[in-house]
Amino acid sequence: MTSLRKQYKTAFMPESSAILFTPGPVQVPFGAKQVLARSFGHHRTASFESTVESVLQNLKPVFQTAGRVFVQATTGSGAMESAIINLLSPGEKVIVVDSGKFGERWAKMADTLGFTVKTIKVPWGQALAPSLLEQELKSHPDCRAVLTQVCETSTATLHPIEELARICHKLTDCLFMVDAITAVGAMNLPMDQWEIDVVVGASQKAFMLPTGLGFVALSERAWQLCKNSQSRRYYFDLLKEEEANQKGQTRFSSPVNLWCGLEWILERMLKFGLTNLFEQVSLYSKAVQLAAEPLGLKIYSQSPSPTVTALSLPDSMTAAEGKLLLKKLASHHHMTLAGGQDHLVGRILRVGHMGALTPNDHLRLVSAVGEELSVAGHDCDIPSALLAARSCLAPLEGKHAFGCES
Amino acid sequence: MTSLRKQYKTAFMPESSAILFTPGPVQVPFGAKQVLARSFGHHRTASFESTVESVLQNLKPVFQTAGRVFVQATTGSGAMESAIINLLSPGEKVIVVDSGKFGERWAKMADTLGFTVKTIKVPWGQALAPSLLEQELKSHPDCRAVLTQVCETSTATLHPIEELARICHKLTDCLFMVDAITAVGAMNLPMDQWEIDVVVGASQKAFMLPTGLGFVALSERAWQLCKNSQSRRYYFDLLKEEEANQKGQTRFSSPVNLWCGLEWILERMLKFGLTNLFEQVSLYSKAVQLAAEPLGLKIYSQSPSPTVTALSLPDSMTAAEGKLLLKKLASHHHMTLAGGQDHLVGRILRVGHMGALTPNDHLRLVSAVGEELSVAGHDCDIPSALLAARSCLAPLEGKHAFGCES
């Protein structure tokens, strides 16, 4: 066994080329890679203006809004910063839902940038109970905005966004702002219908591109409020960005290849149909959830997200063994998964469902996780796990997976 | 002639694939394109950590510093913002050299971000006279930093950086900060030797990659001063970035493909030798400068930069005709050049010398500009222009041009 494994290590492709089951960056579609590999033009050309116009137009239906969607050369965290400094003034009070690493980040960011932060701490793996938000809003009637993740990526937990938005608007005139980086484009999030004021996204998630573009979508109300923000901002200033966008341009130099990749994928997302896309992601996550029990794993979150699944490793496994499992999945099976963060290092596996992945990729993943758990001496019923996953994926049979069209 | 031209329009490659003679983005080397096209890994892997370490190490000699060079997912303008907010506190006074669009931008940015800005207005096309800086520093002894472009890209003008830095340090303990976006990596700029405190750069210039990475290099003194800045910053916070860099990581998600492209090109820049690289860029600019007169063009700047050349079009040409010339160079000759900005629209051509360009590319450019000027009825001595350019480029004969190795 050992010598076979040794062979594997050299025979297999390097870690950097492994298939990405991470919750971002994700597997890039072959067609997008081709566009990225040939789009090296200048950003002040008629050709690029047509790309900008197409992208800004097509982002609206994907964000399910009639409002403006801005694209800036930054990461998701940069877009989170852009959203709050464009809408809020220093000293203003915000309620931040902190249910994991990314909630913690938004709270810390808002505090650093001079806002008054009231945090709702939610235990990791749990969704925010709407009643808790109601209570917090009543305690802080001077609050100007509620900030929450749609999906807290570190725990793969989905918050009840529709209900939270409703409570927010029923009780206050607060802005309801969501970090939808691990959500928008991969699950139903009707921004206008649910009256979400701000939706933040990023290129390396449902948009299946490399990191480098951040998105900020604004409701008409939010857009009007941008004009009131006293936060100092230059690079992230959306009012100035809008002036450039009106001319079919971006304000600064643009990552032209990423924009062209975005143009390519948005057209295909709309053609494939958002409903079909959401179903694909949802079935992938359900398949992995159903495979968990036969593999001897538990679903970590009490409110699992369709975009990423966190699986608790067996209690009998040490954190070191948990980390080793991830390494083996990379070196033996050519699959990159995410582990846990902070106290969850070595305790959970996180499987993303957003990239250019097929049903078969997910079956291979189930099989690979089962194999490595078995080799490590854990009880695993691999055939049952595969059967459960396969049945779940049946509705996708005979269809092309999005991002994997031949 | 017209029907031949019509044929050209369809037979030639589209504008977006034209060869870039723009001063950024520039022509990307084929090898870098290959790296960009295959680097889609995750940013939290051992493989990416090795890329981060290699990049951070190799940026130092290219920036000619023993200090820290930071890489952030942003554009050059984002890096200009990062530099000032990491080093200065709101209300502090800065002297900004404004000799064109980018000086104007840095002044406006500093003002917007809450600094007290004293602008030295320099007529477009002229370099700052060191005596003017001396005078301004004496008038504002409370000034905390001097901000200047090395090369003002909008006018292709080089400032006397070594002398300006010397005066700055002789008279004050001000920080001397330069926007070297159209300079660093393409011309000699010995940061440590000239005691430049901060050097800002960007990926789409001498580094020959797409837009998306901004660089901020700090002297040891500047690094220590970061700890004192009271400017609110989260995304651009270099103190936090350093903590991640110490672990071979970046703080946020990274444009992995750009980092891998950067690793690739830095290794090659150092192997090719900075002196050779600077000579190549310098000879390209001299060749175009020498070709100007026979083509009936004038060198716009009184202090021409080696990285980009601005050529004044004949007085007899209208601005509309000047813009048409650029369009013809794109559609007939498959070459993208930059025009002028503001009052220089249609009045100048700007030719960048930083990308993966050969001596022959520059000869083709001279010939194409000459052809289009002739067709438009202007006196042009194309053979003399080519002869002058060719003689100038003779030292490069028989050598591989950097970025164009087969």
Side-chain angles (χ1 to χ4, degrees), chain A residues 15-16 20 22 25 33 40-42 45 47 74-75 77 81 105 112-114 204 211 232-235 252-255, chain B residues 15-16 20 22 25 40-42 45 47 74-75 77 81 105 112-114 204 211 232-235 252-255:
Chain A
E15 182 189 8
S16 62
L20 293 182
T22 40
K33 286 183 181 175
F40 295 103
H42 197 273
T45 57
S47 156
T74 188
T75 70
S77 296
E81 174 163 330
R105 178 177 292 178
T112 304
L113 294 170
Q204 78 277 21
T211 302
R232 289 193 182 112
R233 59 201 190 276
Y234 187 89
Y235 184 70
F252 303 119
S253 300
S254 277
Chain B
E15 184 188 6
S16 61
L20 294 182
T22 41
F40 295 103
H42 197 273
T45 57
S47 156
T74 187
T75 70
S77 295
E81 175 162 329
R105 178 177 291 178
T112 304
L113 294 170
Q204 79 277 21
T211 301
R232 289 193 182 111
R233 58 202 191 276
Y234 187 89
Y235 183 70
F252 303 118
S253 299
S254 276

Short mmCIF file of all heavy atoms in Angstrom, two decimals, chain A residues 15-16 20 22 25 33 40-42 45 47 74-75 77 81 105 112-114 204 211 232-235 252-255, chain B residues 15-16 20 22 25 40-42 45 47 74-75 77 81 105 112-114 204 211 232-235 252-255:
data_model
loop_
_atom_site.label_atom_id
_atom_site.label_comp_id
_atom_site.label_asym_id
_atom_site.label_seq_id
_atom_site.Cartn_x
_atom_site.Cartn_y
_atom_site.Cartn_z
N GLU A 15 -0.49 19.66 -6.40
CA GLU A 15 -1.57 20.24 -5.60
C GLU A 15 -2.24 21.43 -6.27
O GLU A 15 -3.44 21.60 -6.24
CB GLU A 15 -0.92 20.67 -4.28
CG GLU A 15 -1.83 21.26 -3.25
CD GLU A 15 -0.99 21.82 -2.10
OE1 GLU A 15 0.25 21.86 -2.21
OE2 GLU A 15 -1.60 22.22 -1.12
N SER A 16 -1.40 22.27 -6.92
CA SER A 16 -1.95 23.50 -7.48
C SER A 16 -2.89 23.21 -8.65
O SER A 16 -3.64 24.07 -9.06
CB SER A 16 -0.83 24.42 -7.93
OG SER A 16 -0.07 23.80 -8.92
N LEU A 20 -10.82 21.79 -7.54
CA LEU A 20 -11.17 22.60 -6.37
C LEU A 20 -12.59 22.30 -5.89
O LEU A 20 -13.56 22.64 -6.56
CB LEU A 20 -11.03 24.09 -6.68
CG LEU A 20 -9.62 24.62 -6.95
CD1 LEU A 20 -9.67 26.13 -7.20
CD2 LEU A 20 -8.69 24.32 -5.79
N THR A 22 -13.18 23.60 -2.99
CA THR A 22 -13.18 24.66 -1.97
C THR A 22 -14.34 25.61 -2.23
O THR A 22 -14.82 25.73 -3.36
CB THR A 22 -11.85 25.43 -2.05
OG1 THR A 22 -11.50 25.61 -3.43
CG2 THR A 22 -10.74 24.65 -1.37
N PRO A 25 -11.59 30.13 -4.05
CA PRO A 25 -11.88 30.00 -5.48
C PRO A 25 -12.40 28.61 -5.81
O PRO A 25 -12.20 27.67 -5.05
CB PRO A 25 -10.53 30.25 -6.15
CG PRO A 25 -9.51 29.92 -5.11
CD PRO A 25 -10.15 30.31 -3.81
N LYS A 33 -11.53 29.71 -19.01
CA LYS A 33 -10.06 29.71 -19.05
C LYS A 33 -9.58 30.19 -20.41
O LYS A 33 -8.61 30.94 -20.52
CB LYS A 33 -9.52 28.29 -18.79
CG LYS A 33 -9.63 27.85 -17.35
CD LYS A 33 -9.02 26.46 -17.15
CE LYS A 33 -9.17 26.01 -15.70
NZ LYS A 33 -8.71 24.64 -15.48
N PHE A 40 -6.21 40.21 -23.44
CA PHE A 40 -5.16 41.06 -22.89
C PHE A 40 -5.20 42.45 -23.51
O PHE A 40 -4.19 43.10 -23.67
CB PHE A 40 -3.79 40.41 -23.11
CG PHE A 40 -3.63 39.13 -22.35
CD1 PHE A 40 -3.72 37.90 -22.99
CD2 PHE A 40 -3.40 39.16 -20.98
CE1 PHE A 40 -3.58 36.72 -22.28
CE2 PHE A 40 -3.26 37.98 -20.27
CZ PHE A 40 -3.35 36.75 -20.92
N GLY A 41 -6.39 42.88 -23.90
CA GLY A 41 -6.51 44.18 -24.54
C GLY A 41 -6.42 45.33 -23.55
O GLY A 41 -6.21 45.15 -22.36
N HIS A 42 -6.59 46.54 -24.08
CA HIS A 42 -6.53 47.74 -23.26
C HIS A 42 -7.94 48.06 -22.76
O HIS A 42 -8.92 47.70 -23.39
CB HIS A 42 -5.98 48.91 -24.09
CG HIS A 42 -5.51 50.06 -23.27
ND1 HIS A 42 -6.35 51.07 -22.86
CD2 HIS A 42 -4.30 50.35 -22.76
CE1 HIS A 42 -5.66 51.96 -22.14
NE2 HIS A 42 -4.41 51.54 -22.05
N THR A 45 -10.88 51.04 -24.81
CA THR A 45 -11.15 50.71 -26.21
C THR A 45 -12.65 50.48 -26.36
O THR A 45 -13.34 50.18 -25.38
CB THR A 45 -10.43 49.42 -26.64
OG1 THR A 45 -10.84 48.35 -25.77
CG2 THR A 45 -8.91 49.56 -26.57
N SER A 47 -13.96 48.00 -27.73
CA SER A 47 -14.21 46.60 -27.43
C SER A 47 -14.44 46.40 -25.93
O SER A 47 -15.36 45.68 -25.51
CB SER A 47 -13.01 45.78 -27.92
OG SER A 47 -12.92 44.57 -27.24
N THR A 74 -10.93 44.35 -6.73
CA THR A 74 -10.61 44.07 -5.33
C THR A 74 -11.10 42.65 -5.02
O THR A 74 -11.60 41.96 -5.89
CB THR A 74 -11.28 45.12 -4.41
OG1 THR A 74 -10.82 44.94 -3.08
CG2 THR A 74 -12.80 45.01 -4.44
N THR A 75 -10.93 42.23 -3.78
CA THR A 75 -11.43 40.92 -3.37
C THR A 75 -12.81 41.09 -2.73
O THR A 75 -13.31 42.21 -2.61
CB THR A 75 -10.51 40.28 -2.32
OG1 THR A 75 -10.63 41.03 -1.11
CG2 THR A 75 -9.06 40.30 -2.77
N SER A 77 -13.51 40.86 0.41
CA SER A 77 -13.36 41.70 1.60
C SER A 77 -13.31 43.17 1.22
O SER A 77 -13.85 44.02 1.93
CB SER A 77 -12.09 41.31 2.37
OG SER A 77 -12.22 40.00 2.85
N GLU A 81 -15.86 46.21 2.40
CA GLU A 81 -15.46 47.54 2.87
C GLU A 81 -16.12 48.62 2.02
O GLU A 81 -16.65 49.62 2.54
CB GLU A 81 -13.93 47.68 2.82
CG GLU A 81 -13.44 49.09 3.16
CD GLU A 81 -11.96 49.15 3.53
OE1 GLU A 81 -11.42 48.17 4.07
OE2 GLU A 81 -11.33 50.20 3.28
N ARG A 105 -15.13 39.12 10.72
CA ARG A 105 -14.36 40.05 9.89
C ARG A 105 -15.14 41.32 9.61
O ARG A 105 -14.60 42.42 9.68
CB ARG A 105 -13.98 39.37 8.56
CG ARG A 105 -13.21 40.31 7.63
CD ARG A 105 -12.75 39.63 6.34
NE ARG A 105 -11.71 38.64 6.60
CZ ARG A 105 -11.15 37.88 5.66
NH1 ARG A 105 -11.53 38.00 4.40
NH2 ARG A 105 -10.22 37.00 5.96
N THR A 112 -13.04 49.05 12.87
CA THR A 112 -11.80 49.70 12.43
C THR A 112 -12.10 50.95 11.60
O THR A 112 -11.38 51.94 11.67
CB THR A 112 -10.95 48.71 11.60
OG1 THR A 112 -10.72 47.55 12.38
CG2 THR A 112 -9.63 49.32 11.18
N LEU A 113 -13.16 50.88 10.81
CA LEU A 113 -13.46 51.99 9.91
C LEU A 113 -14.28 53.09 10.60
O LEU A 113 -14.72 54.04 9.95
CB LEU A 113 -14.16 51.47 8.65
CG LEU A 113 -13.26 50.57 7.78
CD1 LEU A 113 -14.06 49.89 6.68
CD2 LEU A 113 -12.09 51.35 7.17
N GLY A 114 -14.51 52.93 11.91
CA GLY A 114 -15.07 54.05 12.67
C GLY A 114 -16.56 53.99 12.94
O GLY A 114 -17.14 54.96 13.43
N GLN A 204 -14.65 34.94 -7.54
CA GLN A 204 -14.11 33.58 -7.42
C GLN A 204 -15.10 32.59 -6.80
O GLN A 204 -14.70 31.51 -6.38
CB GLN A 204 -12.80 33.59 -6.64
CG GLN A 204 -12.91 33.69 -5.12
CD GLN A 204 -13.09 35.12 -4.63
OE1 GLN A 204 -13.50 36.00 -5.36
NE2 GLN A 204 -12.79 35.36 -3.36
N THR A 211 -9.96 35.12 -8.35
CA THR A 211 -10.17 36.26 -7.45
C THR A 211 -9.72 37.55 -8.14
O THR A 211 -8.79 37.53 -8.93
CB THR A 211 -9.30 36.05 -6.19
OG1 THR A 211 -9.68 34.81 -5.58
CG2 THR A 211 -9.49 37.17 -5.18
N ARG A 232 -14.62 58.78 4.48
CA ARG A 232 -13.60 59.15 3.50
C ARG A 232 -13.33 57.96 2.59
O ARG A 232 -13.05 56.87 3.05
CB ARG A 232 -12.31 59.53 4.21
CG ARG A 232 -12.41 60.85 4.95
CD ARG A 232 -11.03 61.34 5.35
NE ARG A 232 -11.16 62.57 6.09
CZ ARG A 232 -10.89 62.71 7.39
NH1 ARG A 232 -10.46 61.67 8.09
NH2 ARG A 232 -11.03 63.87 7.99
N ARG A 233 -13.44 58.20 1.29
CA ARG A 233 -13.19 57.11 0.35
C ARG A 233 -12.78 57.70 -0.99
O ARG A 233 -13.31 58.73 -1.41
CB ARG A 233 -14.44 56.26 0.19
CG ARG A 233 -15.67 57.04 -0.31
CD ARG A 233 -16.95 56.33 0.03
NE ARG A 233 -18.13 56.88 -0.60
CZ ARG A 233 -18.83 57.93 -0.12
NH1 ARG A 233 -18.43 58.55 0.98
NH2 ARG A 233 -19.90 58.35 -0.75
N TYR A 234 -11.85 57.07 -1.61
CA TYR A 234 -11.45 57.49 -2.95
C TYR A 234 -11.50 56.28 -3.87
O TYR A 234 -12.33 56.20 -4.75
CB TYR A 234 -10.06 58.14 -2.94
CG TYR A 234 -9.69 58.73 -4.28
CD1 TYR A 234 -10.03 60.03 -4.60
CD2 TYR A 234 -9.05 57.96 -5.25
CE1 TYR A 234 -9.75 60.57 -5.85
CE2 TYR A 234 -8.76 58.49 -6.50
CZ TYR A 234 -9.10 59.79 -6.79
OH TYR A 234 -8.82 60.31 -8.03
N TYR A 235 -10.64 55.30 -3.61
CA TYR A 235 -10.58 54.13 -4.49
C TYR A 235 -11.94 53.45 -4.60
O TYR A 235 -12.34 53.01 -5.67
CB TYR A 235 -9.53 53.14 -3.98
CG TYR A 235 -9.34 51.95 -4.89
CD1 TYR A 235 -8.75 52.09 -6.13
CD2 TYR A 235 -9.79 50.68 -4.52
CE1 TYR A 235 -8.59 51.01 -6.98
CE2 TYR A 235 -9.63 49.59 -5.36
CZ TYR A 235 -9.03 49.77 -6.59
OH TYR A 235 -8.88 48.70 -7.44
N PHE A 252 -10.89 53.25 -12.94
CA PHE A 252 -9.44 53.01 -12.96
C PHE A 252 -9.12 51.93 -13.99
O PHE A 252 -10.01 51.38 -14.62
CB PHE A 252 -8.96 52.60 -11.56
CG PHE A 252 -9.30 53.61 -10.49
CD1 PHE A 252 -10.12 53.27 -9.43
CD2 PHE A 252 -8.81 54.90 -10.57
CE1 PHE A 252 -10.44 54.20 -8.44
CE2 PHE A 252 -9.12 55.85 -9.59
CZ PHE A 252 -9.94 55.49 -8.52
N SER A 253 -7.83 51.64 -14.13
CA SER A 253 -7.42 50.51 -14.95
C SER A 253 -8.21 49.28 -14.52
O SER A 253 -8.51 49.13 -13.34
CB SER A 253 -5.93 50.21 -14.76
OG SER A 253 -5.15 51.31 -15.10
N SER A 254 -8.52 48.43 -15.45
CA SER A 254 -9.34 47.27 -15.13
C SER A 254 -8.61 45.97 -15.42
O SER A 254 -7.86 45.89 -16.38
CB SER A 254 -10.61 47.28 -15.97
OG SER A 254 -11.56 48.10 -15.37
N PRO A 255 -8.88 44.95 -14.61
CA PRO A 255 -8.40 43.61 -14.97
C PRO A 255 -9.21 43.14 -16.18
O PRO A 255 -10.26 42.52 -16.04
CB PRO A 255 -8.71 42.77 -13.73
CG PRO A 255 -8.99 43.75 -12.63
CD PRO A 255 -9.56 44.96 -13.31
N GLU B 15 -9.59 44.83 -32.55
CA GLU B 15 -8.92 45.81 -31.71
C GLU B 15 -8.40 45.23 -30.40
O GLU B 15 -7.30 45.54 -29.95
CB GLU B 15 -9.95 46.91 -31.42
CG GLU B 15 -9.47 48.08 -30.64
CD GLU B 15 -10.67 48.97 -30.28
OE1 GLU B 15 -11.82 48.57 -30.55
OE2 GLU B 15 -10.43 50.03 -29.74
N SER B 16 -9.21 44.36 -29.81
CA SER B 16 -8.84 43.84 -28.49
C SER B 16 -7.61 42.94 -28.56
O SER B 16 -7.00 42.65 -27.56
CB SER B 16 -10.01 43.09 -27.86
OG SER B 16 -10.35 42.00 -28.67
N LEU B 20 -0.10 45.99 -28.01
CA LEU B 20 -0.25 47.14 -27.12
C LEU B 20 1.04 47.96 -27.05
O LEU B 20 2.05 47.50 -26.51
CB LEU B 20 -0.65 46.69 -25.71
CG LEU B 20 -2.03 46.05 -25.54
CD1 LEU B 20 -2.29 45.72 -24.07
CD2 LEU B 20 -3.12 46.98 -26.06
N THR B 22 0.60 50.80 -25.59
CA THR B 22 0.10 51.71 -24.55
C THR B 22 1.05 51.66 -23.34
O THR B 22 1.74 50.66 -23.13
CB THR B 22 -1.31 51.27 -24.13
OG1 THR B 22 -1.34 49.83 -24.06
CG2 THR B 22 -2.33 51.73 -25.14
N PRO B 25 -2.15 48.91 -19.68
CA PRO B 25 -1.51 47.60 -19.75
C PRO B 25 -0.62 47.50 -20.98
O PRO B 25 -0.76 48.27 -21.92
CB PRO B 25 -2.68 46.62 -19.84
CG PRO B 25 -3.81 47.42 -20.40
CD PRO B 25 -3.62 48.79 -19.84
N PHE B 40 -4.83 28.07 -11.57
CA PHE B 40 -6.15 28.30 -10.99
C PHE B 40 -6.29 27.60 -9.64
O PHE B 40 -7.36 27.16 -9.26
CB PHE B 40 -7.24 27.82 -11.96
CG PHE B 40 -7.29 28.62 -13.23
CD1 PHE B 40 -6.76 28.12 -14.40
CD2 PHE B 40 -7.84 29.89 -13.23
CE1 PHE B 40 -6.80 28.86 -15.57
CE2 PHE B 40 -7.88 30.64 -14.39
CZ PHE B 40 -7.35 30.13 -15.57
N GLY B 41 -5.17 27.47 -8.94
CA GLY B 41 -5.20 26.78 -7.66
C GLY B 41 -5.80 27.62 -6.55
O GLY B 41 -6.25 28.75 -6.76
N HIS B 42 -5.80 27.06 -5.35
CA HIS B 42 -6.32 27.75 -4.18
C HIS B 42 -5.19 28.54 -3.52
O HIS B 42 -4.03 28.17 -3.64
CB HIS B 42 -6.91 26.73 -3.20
CG HIS B 42 -7.82 27.33 -2.18
ND1 HIS B 42 -7.36 27.85 -0.98
CD2 HIS B 42 -9.16 27.52 -2.18
CE1 HIS B 42 -8.39 28.32 -0.28
NE2 HIS B 42 -9.50 28.13 -0.99
N THR B 45 -2.61 27.01 0.04
CA THR B 45 -1.94 25.74 -0.23
C THR B 45 -0.44 25.95 -0.09
O THR B 45 0.04 27.09 -0.19
CB THR B 45 -2.22 25.25 -1.67
OG1 THR B 45 -1.80 26.27 -2.58
CG2 THR B 45 -3.69 24.96 -1.91
N SER B 47 1.70 25.12 -2.20
CA SER B 47 2.19 25.57 -3.50
C SER B 47 2.09 27.10 -3.61
O SER B 47 3.02 27.77 -4.07
CB SER B 47 1.37 24.88 -4.59
OG SER B 47 1.38 25.61 -5.77
N THR B 74 -5.42 45.07 -6.10
CA THR B 74 -5.99 46.37 -6.42
C THR B 74 -5.29 46.90 -7.67
O THR B 74 -4.45 46.22 -8.24
CB THR B 74 -5.84 47.34 -5.22
OG1 THR B 74 -6.54 48.55 -5.48
CG2 THR B 74 -4.37 47.67 -4.96
N THR B 75 -5.65 48.09 -8.10
CA THR B 75 -4.97 48.71 -9.24
C THR B 75 -3.87 49.63 -8.72
O THR B 75 -3.68 49.77 -7.51
CB THR B 75 -5.95 49.56 -10.06
OG1 THR B 75 -6.30 50.71 -9.29
CG2 THR B 75 -7.21 48.79 -10.41
N SER B 77 -3.93 52.86 -8.72
CA SER B 77 -4.55 53.92 -7.92
C SER B 77 -4.84 53.43 -6.51
O SER B 77 -4.70 54.17 -5.55
CB SER B 77 -5.84 54.40 -8.59
OG SER B 77 -5.54 55.00 -9.83
N GLU B 81 -3.43 54.93 -2.93
CA GLU B 81 -4.22 55.19 -1.72
C GLU B 81 -3.64 54.43 -0.53
O GLU B 81 -3.50 54.98 0.57
CB GLU B 81 -5.69 54.77 -1.96
CG GLU B 81 -6.56 54.89 -0.70
CD GLU B 81 -8.06 54.90 -1.00
OE1 GLU B 81 -8.47 55.39 -2.06
OE2 GLU B 81 -8.83 54.42 -0.14
N ARG B 105 -4.50 63.38 -9.82
CA ARG B 105 -5.23 62.32 -9.13
C ARG B 105 -4.73 62.13 -7.70
O ARG B 105 -5.51 61.99 -6.77
CB ARG B 105 -5.12 60.99 -9.90
CG ARG B 105 -5.83 59.84 -9.20
CD ARG B 105 -5.79 58.54 -9.98
NE ARG B 105 -6.60 58.62 -11.19
CZ ARG B 105 -6.72 57.63 -12.08
NH1 ARG B 105 -6.08 56.49 -11.90
NH2 ARG B 105 -7.47 57.77 -13.15
N THR B 112 -9.28 64.22 -0.67
CA THR B 112 -10.50 63.46 -0.34
C THR B 112 -10.31 62.62 0.92
O THR B 112 -11.23 62.45 1.72
CB THR B 112 -10.86 62.53 -1.52
OG1 THR B 112 -11.01 63.33 -2.69
CG2 THR B 112 -12.15 61.78 -1.26
N LEU B 113 -9.10 62.10 1.10
CA LEU B 113 -8.85 61.22 2.24
C LEU B 113 -8.50 61.98 3.51
O LEU B 113 -8.16 61.39 4.53
CB LEU B 113 -7.76 60.19 1.88
CG LEU B 113 -8.19 59.21 0.76
CD1 LEU B 113 -7.02 58.38 0.28
CD2 LEU B 113 -9.33 58.30 1.23
N GLY B 114 -8.57 63.31 3.43
CA GLY B 114 -8.49 64.10 4.67
C GLY B 114 -7.13 64.72 4.98
O GLY B 114 -6.93 65.24 6.07
N GLN B 204 0.47 45.87 -14.33
CA GLN B 204 0.24 45.96 -15.78
C GLN B 204 1.24 46.86 -16.48
O GLN B 204 1.02 47.26 -17.62
CB GLN B 204 -1.19 46.42 -16.07
CG GLN B 204 -1.47 47.91 -15.91
CD GLN B 204 -1.76 48.33 -14.49
OE1 GLN B 204 -1.39 47.64 -13.54
NE2 GLN B 204 -2.39 49.47 -14.30
N THR B 211 -3.80 43.98 -15.31
CA THR B 211 -4.09 44.81 -14.15
C THR B 211 -4.64 43.94 -13.02
O THR B 211 -5.32 42.95 -13.28
CB THR B 211 -5.17 45.85 -14.54
OG1 THR B 211 -4.67 46.62 -15.62
CG2 THR B 211 -5.50 46.78 -13.37
N ARG B 232 -8.01 55.69 8.99
CA ARG B 232 -8.82 54.47 9.09
C ARG B 232 -8.58 53.62 7.86
O ARG B 232 -8.71 54.08 6.73
CB ARG B 232 -10.30 54.84 9.16
CG ARG B 232 -10.69 55.47 10.47
CD ARG B 232 -12.20 55.51 10.61
NE ARG B 232 -12.55 56.17 11.86
CZ ARG B 232 -13.14 57.36 11.94
NH1 ARG B 232 -13.47 58.02 10.84
NH2 ARG B 232 -13.42 57.89 13.11
N ARG B 233 -8.22 52.37 8.09
CA ARG B 233 -7.96 51.48 6.96
C ARG B 233 -8.16 50.04 7.40
O ARG B 233 -7.79 49.67 8.51
CB ARG B 233 -6.54 51.67 6.43
CG ARG B 233 -5.45 51.42 7.49
CD ARG B 233 -4.17 52.12 7.11
NE ARG B 233 -3.02 51.74 7.92
CZ ARG B 233 -2.73 52.29 9.11
NH1 ARG B 233 -3.51 53.20 9.63
NH2 ARG B 233 -1.66 51.90 9.77
N TYR B 234 -8.75 49.28 6.55
CA TYR B 234 -8.89 47.85 6.84
C TYR B 234 -8.35 47.06 5.65
O TYR B 234 -7.33 46.40 5.76
CB TYR B 234 -10.36 47.49 7.12
CG TYR B 234 -10.51 46.05 7.58
CD1 TYR B 234 -10.41 45.72 8.93
CD2 TYR B 234 -10.70 45.03 6.67
CE1 TYR B 234 -10.51 44.40 9.35
CE2 TYR B 234 -10.79 43.70 7.08
CZ TYR B 234 -10.70 43.39 8.42
OH TYR B 234 -10.78 42.09 8.83
N TYR B 235 -9.00 47.19 4.50
CA TYR B 235 -8.56 46.41 3.34
C TYR B 235 -7.10 46.67 2.99
O TYR B 235 -6.35 45.76 2.66
CB TYR B 235 -9.45 46.73 2.13
CG TYR B 235 -9.13 45.90 0.91
CD1 TYR B 235 -9.41 44.54 0.88
CD2 TYR B 235 -8.51 46.47 -0.20
CE1 TYR B 235 -9.10 43.77 -0.23
CE2 TYR B 235 -8.20 45.70 -1.31
CZ TYR B 235 -8.50 44.35 -1.32
OH TYR B 235 -8.18 43.58 -2.42
N PHE B 252 -6.02 38.35 2.41
CA PHE B 252 -7.32 38.02 1.83
C PHE B 252 -7.12 37.02 0.69
O PHE B 252 -6.00 36.66 0.35
CB PHE B 252 -8.01 39.29 1.33
CG PHE B 252 -8.19 40.33 2.41
CD1 PHE B 252 -7.60 41.58 2.29
CD2 PHE B 252 -8.94 40.05 3.54
CE1 PHE B 252 -7.76 42.54 3.29
CE2 PHE B 252 -9.10 40.99 4.55
CZ PHE B 252 -8.51 42.25 4.42
N SER B 253 -8.23 36.62 0.08
CA SER B 253 -8.16 35.80 -1.13
C SER B 253 -7.24 36.51 -2.12
O SER B 253 -7.21 37.73 -2.18
CB SER B 253 -9.54 35.68 -1.78
OG SER B 253 -10.44 35.07 -0.91
N SER B 254 -6.52 35.73 -2.89
CA SER B 254 -5.55 36.33 -3.81
C SER B 254 -5.87 35.98 -5.25
O SER B 254 -6.32 34.88 -5.53
CB SER B 254 -4.16 35.81 -3.50
OG SER B 254 -3.60 36.55 -2.48
N PRO B 255 -5.58 36.91 -6.16
CA PRO B 255 -5.63 36.54 -7.59
C PRO B 255 -4.46 35.59 -7.86
O PRO B 255 -3.36 36.02 -8.20
CB PRO B 255 -5.45 37.88 -8.30
CG PRO B 255 -5.68 38.94 -7.26
CD PRO B 255 -5.25 38.32 -5.96
#
